[in-house]
Amino acid sequence: MSINRDPYDLRTNEESKAEFEAKAKLEKKLEEDDLVWLMDQKRGRAMVWRLLAEAGVYQPSFNQNSMTMAFNEGRRSYGSKLLMQILAICPERHLQMQKEAIKHGRSDDGNADHSN
């Protein structure tokens, strides 16, 4: 379905732009609230730790096979985006998540450390 708009109707265009910006701001706020809610839960922090570890955020992605390395970098890029959101929105929960992971013997690769 196409909407016919007059590209020279500045008032309507400005209203559309304002509506778009308001919607984008609301969506960003909802996403941030969801992340805070998740990071406020102990099980949520454990899940996020596993996701970050599986993404390879805390380890190098180098591999001699360039396709494998590209795949690893793709995962790592997404994990880094999540980590940056956490650090920007609720950095205190990131520190808490790290402490809990150490306390429960989770290594940076998401697996339990059985060397004790």
Side-chain angles (χ1 to χ4, degrees):
M1 171 185 195
S2 67
I3 298 174
N4 294 326
R5 290 192 181 146
D6 180 1
Y8 299 107
D9 183 356
L10 298 178
R11 191 180 88 200
T12 301
N13 289 337
E14 285 298 318
E15 289 171 359
S16 295
K17 181 180 176 186
E19 287 175 19
F20 177 80
E21 290 172 353
K23 184 178 178 184
K25 186 176 180 180
L26 178 62
E27 287 177 9
K28 182 179 182 197
K29 174 74 170 117
L30 290 172
E31 185 178 325
E32 290 175 357
D33 289 348
D34 288 345
L35 184 60
V36 168
W37 176 84
L38 183 64
M39 292 298 290
D40 277 346
Q41 313 299 316
K42 186 174 184 175
R43 292 177 70 183
R45 289 187 299 274
M47 184 181 85
V48 170
W49 181 263
R50 285 191 306 272
L51 291 172
L52 292 173
E54 288 174 13
V57 170
Y58 302 112
Q59 55 193 341
S61 59
F62 177 78
N63 190 294
Q64 289 183 343
N65 180 311
S66 61
M67 297 306 286
T68 300
M69 189 165 73
F71 177 79
N72 291 345
E73 268 304 302
R75 284 191 317 178
R76 192 167 190 257
S77 176
Y78 188 80
S80 293
K81 178 184 175 192
L82 175 59
L83 178 59
M84 291 300 105
Q85 286 179 311
I86 292 167
L87 293 174
I89 297 167
C90 50
E92 69 286 348
R93 294 293 182 239
H94 179 261
L95 181 59
Q96 184 178 5
M97 178 177 65
Q98 286 180 315
K99 289 178 181 178
E100 289 168 353
I102 291 167
K103 179 181 177 183
H104 296 291
R106 292 188 207 105
S107 64
D108 291 347
D109 62 2
N111 298 315
D113 182 7
H114 300 291
S115 62
N116 294 339

mmCIF file of all heavy atoms in Angstrom, residues 65-86:
data_model
loop_
_atom_site.group_PDB
_atom_site.id
_atom_site.type_symbol
_atom_site.label_atom_id
_atom_site.label_comp_id
_atom_site.label_asym_id
_atom_site.label_seq_id
_atom_site.Cartn_x
_atom_site.Cartn_y
_atom_site.Cartn_z
ATOM 1 N N ASN A 65 41.702 -19.816 9.161
ATOM 2 C CA ASN A 65 40.719 -19.901 8.085
ATOM 3 C C ASN A 65 39.933 -18.590 8.088
ATOM 4 O O ASN A 65 39.235 -18.272 9.054
ATOM 5 C CB ASN A 65 39.791 -21.097 8.324
ATOM 6 C CG ASN A 65 38.757 -21.242 7.240
ATOM 7 O OD1 ASN A 65 38.083 -20.287 6.883
ATOM 8 N ND2 ASN A 65 38.621 -22.452 6.729
ATOM 9 N N SER A 66 40.035 -17.836 7.008
ATOM 10 C CA SER A 66 39.419 -16.505 6.972
ATOM 11 C C SER A 66 37.899 -16.555 7.090
ATOM 12 O O SER A 66 37.292 -15.645 7.660
ATOM 13 C CB SER A 66 39.825 -15.762 5.703
ATOM 14 O OG SER A 66 39.395 -16.469 4.561
ATOM 15 N N MET A 67 37.262 -17.589 6.559
ATOM 16 C CA MET A 67 35.807 -17.679 6.662
ATOM 17 C C MET A 67 35.377 -17.952 8.107
ATOM 18 O O MET A 67 34.393 -17.390 8.581
ATOM 19 C CB MET A 67 35.265 -18.768 5.728
ATOM 20 C CG MET A 67 35.518 -18.483 4.259
ATOM 21 S SD MET A 67 34.914 -16.860 3.737
ATOM 22 C CE MET A 67 33.175 -17.160 3.716
ATOM 23 N N THR A 68 36.126 -18.790 8.805
ATOM 24 C CA THR A 68 35.834 -19.056 10.208
ATOM 25 C C THR A 68 36.044 -17.789 11.025
ATOM 26 O O THR A 68 35.235 -17.460 11.900
ATOM 27 C CB THR A 68 36.718 -20.199 10.739
ATOM 28 O OG1 THR A 68 36.447 -21.370 9.973
ATOM 29 C CG2 THR A 68 36.463 -20.475 12.211
ATOM 30 N N MET A 69 37.117 -17.072 10.723
ATOM 31 C CA MET A 69 37.386 -15.847 11.452
ATOM 32 C C MET A 69 36.299 -14.806 11.177
ATOM 33 O O MET A 69 35.851 -14.105 12.089
ATOM 34 C CB MET A 69 38.751 -15.269 11.099
ATOM 35 C CG MET A 69 39.153 -14.116 11.998
ATOM 36 S SD MET A 69 40.886 -13.684 11.925
ATOM 37 C CE MET A 69 40.989 -12.885 10.346
ATOM 38 N N ALA A 70 35.833 -14.713 9.935
ATOM 39 C CA ALA A 70 34.758 -13.773 9.603
ATOM 40 C C ALA A 70 33.480 -14.132 10.370
ATOM 41 O O ALA A 70 32.791 -13.254 10.895
ATOM 42 C CB ALA A 70 34.496 -13.772 8.103
ATOM 43 N N PHE A 71 33.177 -15.418 10.446
ATOM 44 C CA PHE A 71 32.012 -15.874 11.205
ATOM 45 C C PHE A 71 32.171 -15.505 12.680
ATOM 46 O O PHE A 71 31.247 -14.964 13.299
ATOM 47 C CB PHE A 71 31.847 -17.388 11.048
ATOM 48 C CG PHE A 71 30.721 -17.951 11.851
ATOM 49 C CD1 PHE A 71 29.406 -17.838 11.400
ATOM 50 C CD2 PHE A 71 30.964 -18.599 13.051
ATOM 51 C CE1 PHE A 71 28.358 -18.359 12.153
ATOM 52 C CE2 PHE A 71 29.923 -19.114 13.797
ATOM 53 C CZ PHE A 71 28.616 -18.997 13.353
ATOM 54 N N ASN A 72 33.349 -15.779 13.242
ATOM 55 C CA ASN A 72 33.612 -15.457 14.643
ATOM 56 C C ASN A 72 33.476 -13.960 14.901
ATOM 57 O O ASN A 72 32.944 -13.541 15.928
ATOM 58 C CB ASN A 72 35.004 -15.926 15.055
ATOM 59 C CG ASN A 72 35.124 -17.428 15.110
ATOM 60 O OD1 ASN A 72 34.137 -18.151 15.111
ATOM 61 N ND2 ASN A 72 36.354 -17.920 15.130
ATOM 62 N N GLU A 73 33.962 -13.154 13.966
ATOM 63 C CA GLU A 73 33.870 -11.696 14.126
ATOM 64 C C GLU A 73 32.422 -11.225 14.055
ATOM 65 O O GLU A 73 32.049 -10.271 14.739
ATOM 66 C CB GLU A 73 34.707 -10.977 13.068
ATOM 67 C CG GLU A 73 36.111 -10.682 13.509
ATOM 68 C CD GLU A 73 36.190 -9.878 14.805
ATOM 69 O OE1 GLU A 73 35.632 -8.762 14.884
ATOM 70 O OE2 GLU A 73 36.823 -10.372 15.757
ATOM 71 N N GLY A 74 31.605 -11.873 13.253
ATOM 72 C CA GLY A 74 30.189 -11.525 13.193
ATOM 73 C C GLY A 74 29.502 -11.766 14.524
ATOM 74 O O GLY A 74 28.756 -10.909 15.019
ATOM 75 N N ARG A 75 29.768 -12.930 15.114
ATOM 76 C CA ARG A 75 29.198 -13.223 16.441
ATOM 77 C C ARG A 75 29.716 -12.231 17.462
ATOM 78 O O ARG A 75 28.968 -11.714 18.293
ATOM 79 C CB ARG A 75 29.578 -14.637 16.888
ATOM 80 C CG ARG A 75 28.813 -15.724 16.233
ATOM 81 C CD ARG A 75 29.044 -17.052 16.887
ATOM 82 N NE ARG A 75 30.455 -17.249 17.208
ATOM 83 C CZ ARG A 75 30.945 -18.308 17.828
ATOM 84 N NH1 ARG A 75 30.132 -19.260 18.190
ATOM 85 N NH2 ARG A 75 32.217 -18.429 18.072
ATOM 86 N N ARG A 76 31.020 -11.985 17.398
ATOM 87 C CA ARG A 76 31.651 -11.100 18.373
ATOM 88 C C ARG A 76 31.112 -9.674 18.254
ATOM 89 O O ARG A 76 30.927 -8.980 19.249
ATOM 90 C CB ARG A 76 33.163 -11.122 18.170
ATOM 91 C CG ARG A 76 33.941 -10.487 19.278
ATOM 92 C CD ARG A 76 35.414 -10.868 19.122
ATOM 93 N NE ARG A 76 36.146 -10.491 20.274
ATOM 94 C CZ ARG A 76 36.939 -9.422 20.332
ATOM 95 N NH1 ARG A 76 37.086 -8.654 19.291
ATOM 96 N NH2 ARG A 76 37.576 -9.143 21.443
ATOM 97 N N SER A 77 30.854 -9.243 17.027
ATOM 98 C CA SER A 77 30.322 -7.899 16.800
ATOM 99 C C SER A 77 28.966 -7.735 17.468
ATOM 100 O O SER A 77 28.686 -6.719 18.120
ATOM 101 C CB SER A 77 30.214 -7.634 15.300
ATOM 102 O OG SER A 77 29.613 -6.394 15.056
ATOM 103 N N TYR A 78 28.104 -8.735 17.326
ATOM 104 C CA TYR A 78 26.795 -8.660 17.955
ATOM 105 C C TYR A 78 26.931 -8.672 19.481
ATOM 106 O O TYR A 78 26.262 -7.908 20.180
ATOM 107 C CB TYR A 78 25.888 -9.803 17.500
ATOM 108 C CG TYR A 78 24.482 -9.619 17.989
ATOM 109 C CD1 TYR A 78 23.617 -8.756 17.346
ATOM 110 C CD2 TYR A 78 24.045 -10.266 19.133
ATOM 111 C CE1 TYR A 78 22.328 -8.550 17.813
ATOM 112 C CE2 TYR A 78 22.757 -10.069 19.613
ATOM 113 C CZ TYR A 78 21.916 -9.211 18.948
ATOM 114 O OH TYR A 78 20.652 -9.003 19.426
ATOM 115 N N GLY A 79 27.815 -9.524 19.986
ATOM 116 C CA GLY A 79 28.042 -9.571 21.425
ATOM 117 C C GLY A 79 28.606 -8.262 21.949
ATOM 118 O O GLY A 79 28.229 -7.791 23.030
ATOM 119 N N SER A 80 29.489 -7.637 21.180
ATOM 120 C CA SER A 80 30.056 -6.354 21.586
ATOM 121 C C SER A 80 28.988 -5.272 21.641
ATOM 122 O O SER A 80 29.006 -4.405 22.518
ATOM 123 C CB SER A 80 31.171 -5.934 20.618
ATOM 124 O OG SER A 80 32.259 -6.815 20.725
ATOM 125 N N LYS A 81 28.042 -5.329 20.711
ATOM 126 C CA LYS A 81 26.941 -4.369 20.727
ATOM 127 C C LYS A 81 26.123 -4.527 22.007
ATOM 128 O O LYS A 81 25.790 -3.537 22.664
ATOM 129 C CB LYS A 81 26.046 -4.568 19.505
ATOM 130 C CG LYS A 81 24.864 -3.643 19.478
ATOM 131 C CD LYS A 81 23.947 -3.936 18.312
ATOM 132 C CE LYS A 81 22.712 -3.055 18.423
ATOM 133 N NZ LYS A 81 21.654 -3.433 17.535
ATOM 134 N N LEU A 82 25.821 -5.762 22.381
ATOM 135 C CA LEU A 82 25.086 -6.024 23.609
ATOM 136 C C LEU A 82 25.875 -5.537 24.821
ATOM 137 O O LEU A 82 25.331 -4.883 25.718
ATOM 138 C CB LEU A 82 24.761 -7.514 23.745
ATOM 139 C CG LEU A 82 24.095 -7.966 25.037
ATOM 140 C CD1 LEU A 82 22.767 -7.243 25.267
ATOM 141 C CD2 LEU A 82 23.890 -9.476 25.023
ATOM 142 N N LEU A 83 27.169 -5.821 24.841
ATOM 143 C CA LEU A 83 28.023 -5.386 25.952
ATOM 144 C C LEU A 83 28.036 -3.867 26.064
ATOM 145 O O LEU A 83 27.934 -3.317 27.165
ATOM 146 C CB LEU A 83 29.439 -5.928 25.775
ATOM 147 C CG LEU A 83 30.452 -5.527 26.837
ATOM 148 C CD1 LEU A 83 30.010 -5.993 28.221
ATOM 149 C CD2 LEU A 83 31.820 -6.093 26.486
ATOM 150 N N MET A 84 28.134 -3.170 24.951
ATOM 151 C CA MET A 84 28.139 -1.702 24.973
ATOM 152 C C MET A 84 26.811 -1.148 25.490
ATOM 153 O O MET A 84 26.793 -0.157 26.215
ATOM 154 C CB MET A 84 28.431 -1.135 23.586
ATOM 155 C CG MET A 84 29.850 -1.378 23.086
ATOM 156 S SD MET A 84 31.115 -0.652 24.148
ATOM 157 C CE MET A 84 31.752 -2.096 24.981
ATOM 158 N N GLN A 85 25.708 -1.805 25.135
ATOM 159 C CA GLN A 85 24.404 -1.381 25.659
ATOM 160 C C GLN A 85 24.365 -1.553 27.170
ATOM 161 O O GLN A 85 23.897 -0.665 27.889
ATOM 162 C CB GLN A 85 23.276 -2.188 25.023
ATOM 163 C CG GLN A 85 22.972 -1.809 23.603
ATOM 164 C CD GLN A 85 21.862 -2.679 23.028
ATOM 165 O OE1 GLN A 85 21.905 -3.890 23.132
ATOM 166 N NE2 GLN A 85 20.877 -2.041 22.430
ATOM 167 N N ILE A 86 24.850 -2.678 27.647
ATOM 168 C CA ILE A 86 24.856 -2.934 29.090
ATOM 169 C C ILE A 86 25.701 -1.895 29.805
ATOM 170 O O ILE A 86 25.287 -1.321 30.817
ATOM 171 C CB ILE A 86 25.379 -4.357 29.394
ATOM 172 C CG1 ILE A 86 24.379 -5.394 28.893
ATOM 173 C CG2 ILE A 86 25.650 -4.530 30.888
ATOM 174 C CD1 ILE A 86 24.919 -6.804 28.857
#
